[in-house]
Amino acid sequence: MLMQLTTTRLSPDWPCQVKQPGSYDWERSAAKWLRELVPARYASYPALIRHPVLLARHAQIQVQQEIRVARTALQTARADLPGLGMPESVIEHTIKLYAAEVMQLQHIARSVRAVTRALVEAGR
């Protein structure tokens, strides 16, 4: 089991803010990182504080929603932004911004999945 957790840690998707699974206080570092991914009001709910796996689940849902929002913004920018008076240079910059955000959020989603797997394994 520890070997599997170590493999997860070595994954390029493992967030650098989270300590290696099995190391001292790693679950606390995971929970701290996950709290940064959810709205503050969720991060303070007692059930999510006591159960990092629940927090991880909520973070997964949150990040998936953010991916949907960024994709929608990306897909509609070229059609919507001219009507808002945006010049072509701003539209192109905005499209690049949204495309980069989608990629970043997809990386975060993979990181959350890696941390979730490790938390589930640690709880067994």
Side-chain angles (χ1 to χ4, degrees):
M1 181 169 90
L2 184 57
M3 187 168 189
Q4 182 179 2
L5 293 176
T6 302
T7 301
T8 300
R9 172 60 178 106
L10 299 177
S11 163
D13 295 326
W14 190 266
C16 62
Q17 301 90 330
V18 179
K19 294 179 180 182
Q20 180 174 347
S23 67
Y24 174 76
D25 223 17
W26 85 270
E27 289 171 319
R28 184 178 301 198
S29 71
K32 180 180 179 199
W33 178 73
L34 290 164
R35 280 193 305 272
E36 294 172 3
L37 300 177
V38 302
R41 67 184 180 278
Y42 286 99
S44 65
Y45 289 159
L48 298 181
I49 292 170
R50 282 192 302 271
H51 305 285
V53 172
L54 291 178
L55 179 61
R57 177 185 177 273
H58 190 83
Q60 285 180 327
I61 294 167
Q62 185 73 38
V63 172
Q64 288 304 316
Q65 284 298 98
E66 289 181 35
I67 290 170
R68 286 185 194 97
V69 169
R71 282 183 178 154
T72 299
L74 174 62
Q75 293 165 353
T76 60
R78 196 164 303 284
D80 293 351
L81 295 181
L84 297 173
M86 294 292 108
E88 184 63 27
S89 62
V90 172
I91 293 170
E92 290 304 316
H93 177 75
T94 302
I95 288 169
K96 289 177 185 174
L97 175 143
Y98 287 134
E101 185 65 14
V102 168
M103 290 179 61
Q104 177 66 21
L105 287 166
Q106 288 171 335
H107 175 74
I108 292 170
R110 290 189 304 272
S111 297
V112 172
R113 285 192 296 272
V115 170
T116 301
R117 281 191 302 272
L119 286 168
V120 168
E121 286 295 318
R124 290 186 177 167

